[in-house]
Amino acid sequence: MPKDFGFGASSKRREDVRFLTGNGRYTDDINVYGQAYVHFLRSDVAHGTIKSINTERAAAHPAVLRIFTGADFASVGGLPCGWQVTDRFGEPMKEPAHPVLAQGKVRHVGDPIAAIVAESAAEARDAAEMIEVDIEELPAVIDMRAALDGGPLVHDDLETNLCYDWGFIEDNKDEVDAAIKKAPHVTRLDLTNNRLVPNAMEPRVAVGDYNSSNDESILYTTSQNPHVIRLLMGAFVLSIPEHKLRVVAPDVGGGFGSKIFHYAEEAFCTFAARELKRAVKWTASRSESFITDAHGRDHVTTIELALDHDGNFIAIRTSTLANMGAYLSTFSTSVPTWLHGTLMAGNYVTPLIYVNVKAVFTNTVPVDAYRGAGRPEATFQLERVIDKAARELGIDPIEIRRRNFIAKDQFPYATPVALEYDTGDYHATMDKLEEIADLKGFDNRLAQSKSKGKLRGLGLNCYIEACGLAPSNLVGQLGARAGLYESATLRVNATGSVTVMTGSHSHGQGHETTFPQVVSEMLGIAEDQINLQHGDTANTPMGMGTYGSRSIAVGGSAILRATEKIIAKAKKIAAHLMEASADDVEFSDGTFRVAGTDKEVAWADVCLAAYVPHNYPLTELEPGLEETAFYDPANFTYPAGAYACEVEVDPETGKVDICSFAAADDFGRIVNPMVVDGQVHGGIAQGIGQAMLESAIYDEDGQLLSGSYMDYAMPRADDLPSMVVDHSCQTPCTHNPLGVKGCGEAGAIGSPPAIVNAVIDALSRGGYSHVDHIDMPLSPHRVWEAIQT
Amino acid sequence: MVTVTLTVNGQEKTSDCEGRSLLSDFLRDNLNLTGTHVGCDTSQCGACVVHVDGEAVKSCTMFAWEAQGADVATIEGMAEDDGSLGTIQQAFQDHHGLQCGFCTPGMVMSAAALLKKNPDPTEYEIRDYLEGNICRCTGYQNIVHAIQAAAQTMRAAT
Ligand code: FES
Ligand code: FES
């Protein structure tokens, strides 16, 4: 019987009611009395020296309050990078300054040159057109190889476009090289992981406000992690102490990573509000989002897989160029390194692995984490090269994977790339996949496609991801400049209802429903007696926010810990009320009982006693019932799964139709299956988008050609198949007390290789076996071209 | 400045705006009906869909003054008179047809327009009709389920 509340129930989402009635409160819905509006004048060239900025005419516009340029920010801090990577030679990465407004040079199309604050947004835009900027255009560098090969310098002072050259694990390099040299078979693949624009449907917005009565700055912003923004902006950029700075991220319309980072516009609005003593609002247009939101992926990789004649993996060696764009966005440097290199073992036993990554500056928008962040890049190359190897060795693609799986009895399993997987059962998820994808029926479907003149293909892959970031001491050693715990406060009210305050942030994940489910299960009180508060640094404990599929694993565990503290204290109060010893008190279904007696007291009575402590052990126990917990995870969690995709290719046109998509995931224990299904659907949709449609394309001058929804192909309802998702394989995580693994990114990580594998399979079955790879997105043109060659 | 008078969700409203103000801006900024969202500047995303004289319209594609005298319906008017969710809204909640909620007002308004024209759409017809509404969160699957379920409820009620 499915449960109807608590842990494991598909509780309907309570937040939906406000979203469905137009009562959501997104940042752009917030208007502060007397607010002004800012428009940013942005560079329309990718690289250039600012010779002069003449603001005279614009400043005379009657609605203009003030125009800011780089000069106003000369003494203000730059935007910090949150992760320092150490290179192969023990040297720190190159870390260029990242000013709020350009200082003398522009380095990508969209780099802000001036900010015009006016009475209305339209007037700010009008005035911006009156500013005369003289930019001496410099040659831009867009291609990563050219950037490393003597191309123009993005940052003159660094004297190189190489941010770092990272080796992992450097000490293993020689051994890996030697193993590959003498291996019986080596499969090699060159591929590109295409650059993407995250495109949360809500464009970024920032409203800076200043309260002169108490000298407090308030920033309303579209963020996945308001506390992180407060920390970074307060400490590094504007030098505002945290107790004078409040950051609010209300309803946020999707993030997918792009709203983790601290952006210049947030700092600007906060700064300008203090200067002008008026609130200042900025709302990005979609065109602006395309050239200012951090992009994702953009790796160029060579991977080699060494195998014996039976298809057993011996060694993996990869070499990747990772685009950083023009500046280092907040977590950009961690993505191609610690979130990518550590995943190269996948679901397999491979004794030797070496990963090399060169991070490169180019005159493009900064690149940072996008749903999956590093893990899709790792999975894509690994699962593509395995498929290619299977083909070369004549082994079935499922069989080669099964042969190399880490077996159930090998857990906990230490990989050669520094992770220790706690639990998993990869054969079980593969079995489940074979069932839900009806692989037995493939031959029939193949025949049907053939009769229509279509090529049918089946693509499979597995994935593992490391999520639920992470033990703080470990990430500290790896270069993180922040901790990665999460926090929760449980405030039990006098009448027994509960307010949960979390440092996690919900921007579509449904925390307002799922987090109370955890508490409801533990306290035995109704979910609607529990309310979740998040997104405001003023009324939530310091927490690190939501990304990397960490919310239930880390944030949920903090809530569990805080709830345990509540129960422990409540038991003492109950013991006093029942004149028993606390050790004898049991608590279940919202009732405290003395074991072996008929004495009991209800949850609500204990809560009331805590706040009206007339009959209360005041000498031993403080009144009130409120507890806070900070949870720092013992390790990552490792969700894993197996995905299958079937496609039909039209050999005449190269058009690919996705006929079916099936996903068998192991997410450990599950709080709300309905929400998990939705997370997987959304992740797969983004993976299909990457594989089939999406690509951020720059021309050689650094103009973003796919800079609007006219040119950047977002997946639409009629581009996507109906998906079959299953998460009945559950090996509970041992690294957190809930036994949960993350589910937010799995779909985006696991789906692109299945699709490309399916297309290559279709071509191979159709007699085009010379095609061993096509780079994403698999547009009809690319597929047709591959067939022709 | 122009003075625009129109009926929104059954109530007559008048407000002054610039000639270049879009209907989407007018609804949000002048009438404080912030349920209508703006997700793009090229009329592609559908977050801003409302009904104008019974037809689904992307409210970012028309000037506010073009709606002079029109009868406009927005997401704020879709609930039942007692405040409970309307049939389509309820189906979206029941079938988890939304995540971040940003595309949702446009999706619901488009779905309402579809079901008025076609009370029993196939999955293909639903996906085809939603071509102008982008959702980045859901992969559309549960939106399709929600609209199918709403269609069924509405057919059963008539
Ligand atoms: S805002 Fe109207 S279509 Fe995007
Ligand atoms: S629910 Fe987020 S864009 Fe559709």
Side-chain angles (χ1 to χ4, degrees), chain A residues 171-511:
Chain A
D171 289 346
N172 297 348
K173 182 176 186 304
D174 293 343
E175 207 185 337
V176 172
D177 288 347
I180 289 182
K181 204 164 176 187
K182 65 169 203 280
H185 187 92
V186 179
T187 299
R188 179 190 153 115
L189 191 58
D190 298 312
L191 49 82
T192 296
N193 204 289
N194 43 328
R195 184 179 181 117
L196 303 174
V197 182
N199 270 314
M201 290 317 297
E202 176 202 29
R204 285 191 297 117
V205 181
V207 186
D209 190 13
Y210 177 67
N211 184 345
S212 57
S213 67
N214 63 359
D215 188 35
E216 186 188 42
S217 289
I218 306 167
L219 171 68
Y220 302 92
T221 183
T222 47
S223 175
Q224 302 176 214
N225 30 243
H227 287 279
V228 175
I229 300 304
R230 184 176 69 158
L231 182 67
L232 294 177
M233 184 174 80
F236 295 96
V237 189
L238 299 181
S239 301
I240 303 174
E242 280 150 295
H243 66 291
K244 296 285 186 193
L245 180 56
R246 173 178 165 207
V247 177
V248 185
D251 288 330
V252 171
F256 316 112
S258 69
K259 292 172 181 168
I260 300 171
F261 323 122
H262 178 37
Y263 287 97
E265 295 85 359
E266 295 171 319
F268 177 83
C269 290
T270 310
F271 177 86
R274 283 181 90 92
E275 290 284 307
L276 298 170
K277 308 278 182 283
R278 278 180 73 170
V280 174
K281 181 173 190 171
W282 171 71
T283 303
S285 67
R286 179 59 59 184
S287 303
E288 220 172 359
S289 308
F290 269 98
I291 54 170
T292 65
D293 291 3
H295 291 182
R297 316 279 193 261
D298 206 352
H299 285 193
V300 175
T301 294
T302 298
I303 179 167
E304 292 158 290
L305 170 63
L307 313 90
D308 68 17
H309 292 297
D310 297 326
N312 298 308
F313 303 167
I314 299 169
I316 291 170
R317 180 170 61 195
T318 75
S319 144
T320 289
L321 299 182
N323 206 336
M324 294 286 102
Y327 303 100
L328 295 180
S329 173
T330 313
F331 289 112
S332 56
T333 50
S334 66
V335 175
T337 50
W338 300 107
L339 296 176
H340 161 253
T342 51
L343 272 295
M344 281 317 302
N347 311 53
Y348 313 102
V349 175
T350 308
L352 292 164
I353 298 177
Y354 176 73
V355 177
N356 178 257
V357 178
K358 294 184 177 67
V360 186
F361 293 112
T362 60
N363 292 113
T364 62
V365 174
V367 181
D368 206 325
Y370 166 61
R371 202 171 195 170
R375 291 150 290 174
E377 294 90 322
T379 306
F380 185 70
Q381 50 183 293
L382 181 62
E383 294 292 328
R384 284 290 301 121
V385 82
I386 291 173
D387 242 46
K388 187 175 179 212
R391 212 169 289 286
E392 287 172 356
L393 294 174
I395 305 174
D396 177 79
I398 297 183
E399 175 54 27
I400 197 170
R401 288 179 166 87
R402 285 192 184 270
R403 219 172 270 183
N404 289 282
F405 275 161
I406 300 159
K408 204 175 164 186
D409 59 8
Q410 285 175 286
F411 292 95
Y413 176 78
T415 73
V417 274
L419 297 181
E420 184 172 288
Y421 302 164
D422 56 342
T423 55
D425 185 349
Y426 306 147
H427 286 285
T429 43
M430 185 59 94
D431 292 343
K432 180 51 76 177
L433 179 73
E434 293 194 30
E435 175 198 324
I436 62 171
D438 181 29
L439 295 193
K440 284 204 187 82
F442 177 73
D443 288 340
N444 274 338
R445 298 190 291 273
L446 180 69
Q448 279 168 20
S449 298
K450 240 185 209 156
S451 67
K452 293 187 290 180
K454 297 282 174 65
L455 314 178
R456 196 176 187 98
L458 168 65
L460 289 135
N461 71 280
C462 299
Y463 78 89
I464 180 148
E465 67 157 316
C467 59
L469 268 74
S472 293
N473 53 4
L474 174 70
V475 294
Q477 285 166 26
L478 303 184
R481 289 164 169 163
L484 282 166
Y485 48 84
E486 199 45 84
S487 61
T489 297
L490 246 75
R491 178 175 297 159
V492 179
N493 303 306
T495 54
S497 68
V498 178
T499 303
V500 181
M501 293 155 238
T502 172
S504 297
H505 186 276
S506 187
H507 31 280
Q509 294 87 343
H511 297 170

Side-chain angles (χ1 to χ4, degrees), chain A residues 446 449 453-457 647-651 762-763 766 768 787:
Chain A
L446 180 69
S449 298
K454 297 282 174 65
L455 314 178
R456 196 176 187 98
V647 297
E648 268 185 355
V649 181
D650 184 340
L763 297 186
Y768 305 100
I787 292 176

Side-chain angles (χ1 to χ4, degrees), chain A residues 13 26 199-202 252-254 256 507-508, chain B residues 97-104 107 134-140 143:
Chain A
R13 298 198 334 166
Y26 299 86
N199 270 314
M201 290 317 297
E202 176 202 29
V252 171
F256 316 112
H507 31 280
Chain B
L98 63 152
Q99 290 182 24
C100 79
F102 198 79
C103 72
T104 307
M107 285 288 177
I134 304 178
C135 174
R136 193 53 149 170
C137 297
T138 62
Y140 305 98
I143 293 177

Side-chain angles (χ1 to χ4, degrees), chain A residues 42 56 59 74 111 130 141 299 309 313 335 402 442 464 492 504 509 525 529 547 615 682 696-697 699 721 745 763:
Chain A
R42 299 182 182 279
E56 215 171 297
D111 218 357
M130 301 175 186
V141 64
H299 285 193
H309 292 297
F313 303 167
V335 175
R402 285 192 184 270
F442 177 73
I464 180 148
V492 179
S504 297
Q509 294 87 343
I525 62 173
Q529 289 300 298
Y547 40 81
N615 175 16
I697 298 171
D699 72 8
E745 296 164 294
L763 297 186

